[in-house]
Every structure is written in C-alpha cells, then in structure tokens.
Amino acid sequence: MKVKVLCRNPDDYVRETTRDIQRVPRNYDPTLHPFEVPREYTRALNATKLERVFAKPFVASLDGHRDGVNCIAKHSKSLSTVLSGACDGEVKLWNLSKRECLRSVQAHEGFVRGICSRFCGSSFFTVGDDKTIKQWKMGPPGYGLKEEPLNTILGKAVFTGIDHHQSEGTFATCGQTVDIWDELRSSPIRSFSWGVDSFSCVRYNPVETELLASCASDRSIILYDMRESTPLKKVIMKLKSNTLCWNPMEAYYFTCSSEDYNLYTYDMRCLDSPVRVHMDHVSAVLDVDYSPTGKEFVSASFDKTIRIFPKDGGHSREVYHTKRMQHVICVKWSADNKYILSGSDEMNIRLWKANASEKLGVLTAREKAALHYNQKLRDKFQHHPQVRRIARHRHLPRGIFRQKRELKEIKEAQTRKEQNVRKHSKPGSVPLVTEREKHVVTVVE
Amino acid sequence: SLFFSPSRSKSSVEAAPAVMAAEDNDEELSSLEDENVISASEDEEGSEDERKHTKLLEAISSLGGRRRMKQTERSEASLQVSEFSVAADGAGEKVELSDLLGTMEKTPGAPNKTKKQLKNLQNRKDTLELPLSKQETEKVFIIIIIYVPTKPNNLSFQVILPLFREDEKRGEKLARTPLEQEIFSLLHSNSQPIHDPVLTPVEEASIKAMSLEEAKIRRAELQKARALQSYYEAKARRESKIKSKLYHRVQKKAKRRDFLKQFEEMVKTDPDAALEELKRMELSRMQERMTLKHQNSGKWAKAKAIMAKYDHSARKAMQEQLEINKDLTQKLAVPSEDEDEEKNGDEEAGALPDFVNDPEPILDPVNPWMRGKLSKEEPEPEVEASTEARDEDLEVQQQQEEEEEEENEEEKLLREFERKRKLREDEDDDLVPVSAEDGSKITDNNDEDKDDKVDEDDKDEEEEEEEEEEAEEVVSEFNSLFNRLMKSNTTPAVPDQNEGEELLDEGLVRVQTMEDLEALRKDRTNEANQEASVPATDTPTAPESASEPPNKKKRRRKEIDLKKVLTKQATVVKVPLAPTVLEEEEEEEVHTEQAAIIKEAFAGDDVISDFLKDKRKQEEAGRPKVVDLTLPGWGEWGGLGLKPSKNKRRKFRKKVAPPPPRQDKKLPAVIISEKRDASVAAHQVSQLPFPFQNPTQFESCVRTPIGQTWNTQTTVRKLTAPRVVTKMGAIIEPMSREDLVPKQKSNEAKRGAAILLEEKRERGKKKGSGGKRALQQKKKKMQKQKKTKE
C-alpha cells in the first residue's frame, strides 16, 4: 500500500547553525502589505521623536586649565590625544578616552596664541605672546628631566597663529607677516606681507599642500603659494574674518568665520562672491573647523554656542550650548568624524558628539540596519510638517533667543526699507544686491 | 596672473604670447643679419675693375652650378671720411627697412623663402609689444595642478532621486508639459521667436527694410488717414441723424446719379471692376429674391395695408415698396435705392474698415482659444423662452434651478451673440446697424418710413450708448478684477530664502521626553487648526454679502460677463500702431492687426466663461443636497400611479443646514477649494520641497516603501545604505592627490556603493601597507581597550 505524505525539504526551514536567526518565509505581495506610506510615515515620525529624545550631545568636560582655553590642536596620528593652550601660557595634553590631562607645560609667558602638531605626531609647535615659536616633544620628558622645548625660535614680533605642513618639515606662522619656516632654520624661508596689517590666522590647504590662506586685520583673506615670493590674491570683505578652514575633501573651498555673525564659504578660484553665506549665530564667530568628511563644519561663537552647518546649507542643522559654557573661542572636529571639541572662556574643554543622538560604542549589525533605516525614513519624510517640526525643534537659552529675534526684526526692517527705497526711486537706480554679494568689497590680485 | 581656472581644464599655460614674441624677435634679427650680409656683398664696389672681377667670379660660380656666397671685404664707399669715426652717406638718417630690402630683388642668389619672409616683414605695420616688466618677469609662473574630480563626485554617494537629468539643461527640452509643447508648436508654426529675440523674422525684415524717414512718412500718412477716417465717421453720423425725408431723398438721387455715372465710366475704363460691380448687384438681387423684403409682408406693411383704403400716400408707399422689389429682382436691373444705400454704406464703410462688421471666424486655426465651441444646438429663441417658462413652472422653489437658469441665460446670451454675428454676416449690405433686438424687425427697414427708422436708430443709439456705458463699467470692473488678480499674484511672491533651507526651529521649550514631543505636535496641530479656522472667523463679513439682495449678486455676475465686453470690443476704434511691417502690405497688415485685436478680445471669451462655469459648478458641488426621505405608501394609500402627497413630501424633505459661506464668495476671480481637510492637512506637505520639480516626482519618492516589510533584504540594504560610512576609531585624512586622480575604476563609484573613506584611502596607496595600517590601528584599539579595562 502506498501512503501519500507531505514532504518538505528541511533546507527551507532549518537554519544552518544555531547562531543564525530563524528563517522566516516571506511573501512580498503588495496586496498583503497595504498602507505602506502611512505605516512608513508613522515609523518616520517615531524615528524622529526617538532621535530627538536621544539627542544628548554633551559627552564630557575636560577641566584643569587655569585660564580661558585659547587654542586646541588635534594630534595628527592619535585620535585620543588633544592639545590645548590657555591664556596663561599653559599647554595641556589630554587623553580623551580617559578624560584626563596627561601632561601640562608652561610654554609661554602670556597667551598661547597658536598650537599645532607635526604631521608625524612626534612633536608639536606653539607660538605665544612672548614672540617665540617653540617645538615640543609629544612624549613626556624622561625621569628627572625638566620640561624643555626641543627648539625655540625668537621672532621679531608677536605670532598670532601657526600651522604645519601636511607632509613636509615646514610650517607657517602669522603675526605682522605671514612667514614660512623650515624646521631646521631659525629664520623664515619666506615672508609675505601685503600692506601693513596683522594677521589672525594662517592655514595650509590640506590637499594642495603648497597653498596657504590667512585672515588679515584689514578685513581681507589672502591666498599664498608657498613656492612663490608674492601672495596670490586677496578678497576684502565688509568685516574682518577671524579664522578660516579649508575643506579637507574639496581643495578649493574654504570657510571663514566673520565678525559679522556669519560664516562664508569661498571658492578660491572665484573670490568675487562667497559660494554660500552661513548665518545663524547672533554674535561674532570666532572659530571654524571642517569635519574630516568635508560635508559639514562646526563653528564657535562669542554668543556661547556651537553650531554645526552643512557645507552647502545656509543655516545650521544643530546648535549646542550649556549653561556653563561661556564664549567659545576654539573648536575642533575630531579626525574620526564622531566628536567635536570646544574650548571656551571658562577654562573648560568640552567634548560633544557630532551627531547628537548617535549611540556610542559598538553596534550590532541589526542595530546598524535599524539606524540606517530610521535615518532613511527621516530623510524621506523630512518635508512633512510634523516630522519637520519635531526634527527641527531646539532649545535655546533665553538670551540668545531674544537676540535672535531682535536680529530677525532688524533684518526684516532693513529689507523692508530697501524694498521701499527701491519702490520709490528710479527703476534700476537701486540695484538688487544678493546676500552673497553684499559682504565682499573687492578682490585684489 | 596664473591661477586656477574655474573651468574644468586641468591646467593652463599662458606663457604662449611671450614665447611668440621672442620668436618674432629672433626672426627679425636673423632676417636683418641676412640683409646685412647681402648689402655688404652688394653695396661696396669700389672701382670698375673690381666690379668686373666680381662679375667674372659670379659667372664662373654660376657655371659651376653651386652658388658660393663670397664675403667681400668691406671698404668705405663714402667720400668724406672723418678722422675720428666712420661716417656713411646717410649717417644721420633713420634707416628704413624698405631701403635695405630694395636690393633684395636685385640679388639673384637670395632664396625665395627669405624674400617672402622679408616681404611679410615689410608689410607688418604693428610694433612689437613691450617686454614684461621686471616685477612680472620675476614672478615665477608655477602651474598648480588640481585634479578636479569628474561629475560623479567621489564623495557624493548614492543620490537616488532622478532629479538632475543632463538633457534638461539643453534648450531642446524646454517644453515639458503638453501645454508648453502646444505653445511651442504654435510659436514654431507662426515663425514666432521662441528664444530671446522678441521680434519675429517678418518684423526683423521690416526693420531692415524701412529707414527712419520712410517710417516717419508712413506714420504721417497713417495719421492723416486716421484723421480723415474720423472726419468721415463724424460726417456720416451727422448725416444719418438728419431727419428730413426730402434731404435724404435728394441725397439718394444724387448718389444714384453719381453711381450711374461712375458705373458707365467704369465700363469704359475698368471693365473688370464694372464686372465685379455687376456681380455684386446680382448678389443683392439674389438676396432680395430669397428674403421677404419689400414684399409688403412685414408689420409696417400690414399696418399700411389697413390705412391704404383711405390714405393715398400709404398706398403709394406700398406701391413703391413693390416696385423696389421688382427692380431688385429683375435681372441686370439698375441699382436700386438699397443698392444705393449700400453704396452709401460702402462709402462710410470705406472710412471704417469693413472687417469690423466681418463675422469672427469661429474656427480659427491660429487662435487656440477659439477652438472651443459653444454647444451646437441653436434652438429658436421662442422655443427656448417657452422651455424656460416651463422650467420656471416646474421648479419655482428650487434655488439650484435658479442657478441653472442663470447659466442658461449665460449660454443663451452667448448663443445670441453668435447669432448676432451671423446675422451681421448675412446682412452685410444692410447699412442700418442691426442689433439683436430688432433682428425680427428687419423687414421694416425701408426708406419710406424713414422717421420710424430714424427713431429706431435713435433708440438704437441710445441703447448703444447705454451699452457702452455699461460696457465701460464692465471694463473698469474687469480692470479692477485684473488688478486684484495681479496683486494676489504678486503679494505672496516674496520668496523666503529660509523656506527651502533647514532652518532650525529654535525656541525656549526644551524637549526631553516623548510626551514633550507629543505636546509639540499637538501645538502644531492646534496652530494648523487655527490657521484653518481663520477663514471661518471671517464669517461676519460674509453674511453681509449674503444679506445683500440676490439680484445684486446676479447683476454683478452679469457684469463680469464677457459678452458685453465683447460688444465693446467689437466696436474697437482702430488703434494707431507703430508701423512695423512693409508698406506694400499695409492694408493687409492693418487687417491682421485689427484681426489680432479682435482675436485678443475674443480670446478671453471662452476662458472667463469657462472659469465662471467652473466656479459655479464647484459651488454647486459644495452645496448640501436636499434629501428626500419620502417613502411611498406609508400613512397613505400606495400603489401604481399614486404619488405621495405634496404635504408629505414637504414634511420628509430634509434640508441640510447651509455650509459656512465659501471663502471665495467675495472674490469673483478666485476659486478657493474647500476640499482641504484640516485634520489631514496637518500631516500633508503644503509646498513642493526644493529638489523636486513637480508633485508627481515627490509623490513617487514618498510612495516607494523602503522597509523590510515591502522589500527583500538586499534591496533594503541597498536602499538604506548611508551616504557616508566611517569606520570607528580610524582617522580620516584629507583628500590626497592620488585620490583625486580619476581612476579607471571610477565605474565603481558610479554604481553607488557606499564608500568607506578609509578603505578608499588605502586603495589609493599600496594595498599591503593599507592593510598593515588597519591592523595596527586595530591593535592600538585593542590596547586602548585593555588599558581602559585595567
């Protein structure tokens, strides 16, 4: 007698090892899964809410300085090491993972104006108000030895900033002039000056390593080529810019932080008008640093906040502030694109997450997948009013909020006035000037 | 100075001009040297003997075949030799190049190439450019090479939206929507400019053809013509107002005589024109035969017939009428009074362009608006009136019917207008301005009861005046309407820059829990509701308008009607237009211009009536329907042929409370949709977000699910791959030149896989070392972790 039985292939339902997840047969017939848009919308809304709920960007505060932190530098080879210089001339080395000070050096008398690490990470340079450039070893001095610089160069004038070449033994300082130094020489190999002005910042282009840019006190930004004896060109703006930073992924873009509360991204091939004006701060912007991916940058402002801007966005995507944080003087984005460091007036260095709601630590694959899915959902429904409202809600301290409102009113009044003037004057006599064109005075070559 | 060129060229070298200049210099120098050599050999012949000697030598050398340039010794040719220095003949003068070159032709030995070069040199007029200044030459030109990554930027990962298509940049794809395409095809077929130049080819040609003087002359001519026209118009009007019968009779007779004379002359001089005249007469005869004119069948004739028994003059008049008919219906008859009148009319019409009376061609291929037709059936007005009456009888109480009626009226008016135009077409020869009202009284028009006609004319004129006034009102109304429209267009046009951007919504509220977020949302929805309810609070104004008498409303609606505007437009006085076209085509051009004006006037026709209809329809749809809940047979006798009683029907008819007045009630030119549901609207996107170009794009983007419920694992992974992936604990170094060099494997990047920044870097360098580094980093990390554990 033949008995008919149901027969199934165990490969279809048995997992290979016990560590695999269970096999679930799925039917993707769309009729079985209706309402895909409303369901995804709900998911997106929930994802957005969770994102906001988990948005706790503040990680740690590094205290130990006895004066305002004036400058921060990243270690070029180690993620966990950070250097900071204070207004009392003290330089500290920090271990971020342990959140402790490794070493402190009384480097200068007066302010430490600038600090940078050598590309190999073995030593770092500091400049100070005492007109010296000092090179220090990264490691601690041997037992029983005093903290002494490897090298000291005595300059003629005060240096206000320093930056090291990406791969060669040269560095640049700025003060009354922009000087290019060879590490082995005690006098600059090149010295640029264009008119009598002092400089506040000099930065090497990280990609086109022979190029430099500096911010001068005559409201200009000057570009140099290290191989030339004269500066390339400069753009003069309405107000002075404090610092600038090159985009590490797109060599010809740089962003400068200006005294007029804005940041400007320029294309160095065409300085006639900035590519983008970034506004949101309510006070002078003191420092700016790009994320290593080149997609965003962070800015520190005198208004006691840090803001993160997308590189081509006119407004910030994020604002960080705490009650105790005073005027933020310097800011850096860590080289792994995860953290932001800010040094402020009240002697603390703060560590922030670059992505406020990011979960720190190792994620499982499924966690990762869920995060990615949520991110995509948020992107997909970002234009929907509810999602937008939740995703964009930020808390601001009352003072800044008021200032912001005031500024908005001022701006509105100005535009209204301009419109009225235009309306009541001969057509064409009051030209329409775009926001980008407004801030540039001239370009000199 | 040399710097990066913003274009995509990888590098550019601009030293070329300098090099060229240097080469030129060299050339010149060499040529000058040549000259010196030649002149040296040529010029200095001291004595006869020497010359002979050289000749001999030359002859010998030429015999030998190989030319030998002999350097002769230089000896002073000049007579005055100073003891201090050598002074040649023209020592003080400037040596011209031509002087030196003059000898060139004479030398047989010089190669042709050199000669050519020298000739070229001689012809050159321009001086060489100054050499660069010291500073500039000092400046070292260093070419900085930046490899600009090609379009699919290495860093722009996975942009999925099909937004920026390449071909959209091209001009060909300018027309995207069907409407645009239609417009483009229209423009194309009429050889109208599609791009920037505003002039048509014809206009351009005319501009080329006509000089300023010509234009001035032409303008003067036109002005004169216009003045004459207005003068004739005035005259004609004056004459038509004269009531004296005698005057008109005399006038007519004189005209007839004139016409006959002219006709006879015409037969002699211009037989073609005469033939045409005859043809026209024939046509009028045919028309006379076809119509019942002058056959004493009209109202007037009937009245006269009653009078004829006693009144001699009446009989006479009737007789004359019949005679006219006879005259007209006779073949090759002498042009009759009507004909005369036509002549008269022609004269007047000569002043006025006759196409004013032309019917507007309904199916105009050029004007797209005219393609839409009114409903075709043209029922008799009486019939319609009767149906109307019936309608009224049937649905007296119903408001809705009223509306419909209005619509009917509108349509009727439109149709009437059409008919009017047709009539005009038919009665081209009838001079008397025929309005639709006296269309039925056409038969009355004869010269005998001139006073009647005159009266009528007067009436007509009065009416016309009234109409004109009304039309003017309408026009002004129209203008204001338009202005309002424009304003409504312009006022919200102030673009908010921040709209598209991610402007943070910063406030004093700190949100920390899910409950807070919920509260946020509720706030938001409340706001939305408030927004929605804002128009509802407007109601106090609305009832006022509702309390206005309904006929007023109707009147306003009628005022917006285009038909009256159209009557105004049809009598448009010729507007002096700047002569833009060739003179020969003047008349045609004027014609077309007028036609264009009329077309323009009629162009709005369909659109506005359609709009009004549309609006009415929407209002209709929004109005709550009367629900009839009558059940036959309940509480009454039921059965075949029995209908529930009126009382019962009234009882069970449920009238729904009227909805709040529409938002667009007071805005005649606006339709505001009432479909928007506030509760749903709070979740809907109100504006098209930035990168999208049309709603369908956006919708399709939202419609595609990306979750696991709807997609397979791999698809989900692909769909949700983040734009930038970074590795934990790895330093992301700035872009290096090696990374920027476009690789052969750029296809990989195009495929859109997420790129690990770290991995890419390692690939850019040597694979082995990269792997080592990664390992080292891993080790480091491990060490760190160990340390932290410790």
Side-chain angles (χ1 to χ4, degrees), chain A residues 335-405:
Chain A
D336 61 349
N337 195 33
K338 284 256 190 307
Y339 300 99
I340 287 164
L341 287 153
S342 69
S344 44
D345 246 0
E346 85 312 316
M347 305 180 273
N348 279 328
I349 298 167
R350 287 193 171 75
L351 187 64
W352 309 84
K353 282 191 268 185
N355 193 358
S357 60
E358 195 179 29
K359 192 188 173 193
L360 295 179
V362 183
L363 299 175
T364 63
R366 295 174 72 186
E367 260 181 316
K368 244 184 219 169
L371 278 178
H372 291 166
Y373 178 48
N374 282 345
Q375 179 62 45
K376 259 280 138 42
L377 280 180
R378 263 180 277 143
D379 284 351
K380 190 178 152 187
F381 289 97
Q382 63 183 330
H383 303 295
H384 289 252
Q386 299 295 323
V387 176
R388 202 153 91 166
R389 166 83 174 167
I390 293 168
R392 290 190 186 175
H393 181 86
R394 295 289 182 281
H395 170 250
L396 266 191
R398 186 173 296 277
I400 300 168
F401 180 73
R402 277 198 186 140
Q403 258 176 304
K404 191 162 179 161
R405 203 172 49 194

Side-chain angles (χ1 to χ4, degrees), chain A residues 156-368:
Chain A
K156 286 171 197 155
V158 175
F159 298 106
T160 52
I162 186 167
D163 196 23
H164 203 281
H165 192 273
Q166 199 67 29
S167 55
E168 286 170 21
T170 56
F171 60 91
T173 60
C174 62
Q176 279 185 1
T177 57
V178 170
D179 299 325
I180 313 287
W181 303 76
D182 194 326
E183 280 175 359
L184 306 173
R185 297 191 189 183
S186 59
S187 59
I189 51 174
R190 239 183 214 127
S191 190
F192 301 107
S193 66
W194 195 339
V196 278
D197 36 45
S198 63
F199 297 87
S200 60
C201 170
V202 64
R203 289 284 168 91
Y204 269 105
N205 188 326
V207 184
E208 272 314 313
T209 46
E210 258 52 54
L211 283 172
L212 291 143
S214 71
C215 302
S217 62
D218 68 339
R219 303 168 295 152
S220 63
I221 296 165
I222 310 178
L223 299 180
Y224 311 90
D225 191 324
M226 226 171 74
R227 298 158 291 195
E228 281 185 54
S229 57
T230 51
L232 291 173
K233 51 176 158 180
K234 74 171 166 184
V235 54
I236 300 175
M237 298 175 69
K238 284 255 172 74
L239 269 181
K240 186 195 149 203
S241 41
N242 287 316
T243 47
L244 60 79
C245 186
W246 293 92
N247 189 329
M249 289 293 159
E250 283 159 296
Y252 28 77
Y253 291 120
F254 65 86
T255 302
C256 63
S257 59
S258 175
E259 283 285 324
D260 60 1
Y261 311 172
N262 295 338
L263 292 113
Y264 303 96
T265 299
Y266 279 99
D267 185 337
M268 73 171 171
R269 298 164 296 181
C270 173
L271 293 173
D272 299 328
S273 72
V275 178
R276 199 78 218 207
V277 182
H278 312 272
M279 32 194 173
D280 258 355
H281 279 297
V282 291
S283 190
V285 191
L286 298 181
D287 200 8
V288 59
D289 193 33
Y290 261 96
S291 81
T293 55
K295 296 267 176 201
E296 289 171 327
F297 59 84
V298 61
S299 64
S301 167
F302 198 73
D303 63 9
K304 307 173 189 175
T305 60
I306 299 167
R307 280 179 188 271
I308 301 174
F309 292 85
K311 75 163 197 293
D312 44 8
H315 291 275
S316 58
R317 78 155 170 85
E318 197 69 78
V319 54
Y320 292 163
H321 58 85
T322 64
K323 238 178 205 173
R324 294 182 182 182
M325 187 163 72
Q326 296 303 309
H327 314 302
V328 194
I329 296 173
C330 49
V331 71
K332 283 276 181 264
W333 200 307
S334 76
D336 61 349
N337 195 33
K338 284 256 190 307
Y339 300 99
I340 287 164
L341 287 153
S342 69
S344 44
D345 246 0
E346 85 312 316
M347 305 180 273
N348 279 328
I349 298 167
R350 287 193 171 75
L351 187 64
W352 309 84
K353 282 191 268 185
N355 193 358
S357 60
E358 195 179 29
K359 192 188 173 193
L360 295 179
V362 183
L363 299 175
T364 63
R366 295 174 72 186
E367 260 181 316
K368 244 184 219 169

Side-chain angles (χ1 to χ4, degrees), chain A residues 17-31:
Chain A
T17 66
T18 48
R19 301 182 77 188
D20 286 349
I21 49 170
Q22 292 285 1
R23 261 194 180 194
V24 185
R26 301 262 358 240
N27 190 347
Y28 290 108
D29 182 7
T31 53

Side-chain angles (χ1 to χ4, degrees), chain B residues 245-261:
Chain B
K245 283 180 198 170
L246 189 70
Y247 168 79
H248 281 290
R249 218 172 282 159
V250 170
Q251 199 78 339
K252 235 171 255 172
K253 266 178 193 166
K255 264 174 202 166
R256 191 196 275 173
R257 228 175 290 134
D258 279 355
F259 176 73
L260 277 174
K261 244 184 221 170

Side-chain angles (χ1 to χ4, degrees), chain B residues 493-640:
Chain B
V494 182
D496 200 48
Q497 261 201 341
N498 307 339
E499 208 66 50
E501 287 170 6
E502 298 280 312
L503 194 57
L504 285 182
D505 185 15
E506 290 157 347
L508 298 172
V509 187
R510 195 191 282 271
V511 173
Q512 279 163 325
T513 60
M514 286 293 256
E515 284 76 44
D516 292 344
L517 285 168
E518 284 295 329
L520 250 189
R521 259 186 71 192
K522 264 169 203 161
D523 282 357
R524 183 67 176 169
T525 45
N526 278 346
E527 269 175 44
N529 282 339
Q530 272 174 8
E531 271 172 41
S533 63
V534 163
T537 52
D538 264 282
T539 42
T541 55
E544 281 174 42
S545 65
S547 65
E548 279 172 25
N551 57 355
K552 200 177 176 185
K553 196 171 79 184
K554 251 190 244 170
R555 209 189 134 210
R556 196 207 285 142
R557 239 176 232 151
K558 270 174 194 165
E559 275 175 359
I560 296 160
D561 264 7
L562 240 214
K563 286 129 249 164
K564 284 173 187 172
V565 185
L566 288 183
T567 55
K568 177 73 181 172
Q569 295 286 9
T571 56
V572 156
V573 184
K574 200 169 81 184
V575 181
L577 284 174
T580 52
V581 198
L582 282 172
E583 263 188 286
E584 301 123 52
E585 298 167 8
E586 179 196 334
E587 275 180 37
E588 277 181 23
E589 275 315 301
V590 170
H591 236 263
T592 48
E593 271 171 22
Q594 281 286 2
I597 288 167
I598 290 163
K599 242 177 246 165
E600 221 178 290
F602 282 112
D605 187 346
D606 271 348
V607 179
I608 288 178
S609 63
D610 280 355
F611 178 81
L612 287 174
K613 269 181 213 166
D614 205 21
K615 187 173 179 180
R616 203 145 304 139
K617 234 179 248 173
Q618 293 214 5
E619 278 172 11
E620 206 64 32
R623 200 165 287 133
K625 302 273 176 330
V626 176
V627 187
D628 194 356
L629 294 171
T630 347
L631 284 173
W634 281 89
E636 274 176 348
W637 285 107
L640 207 68

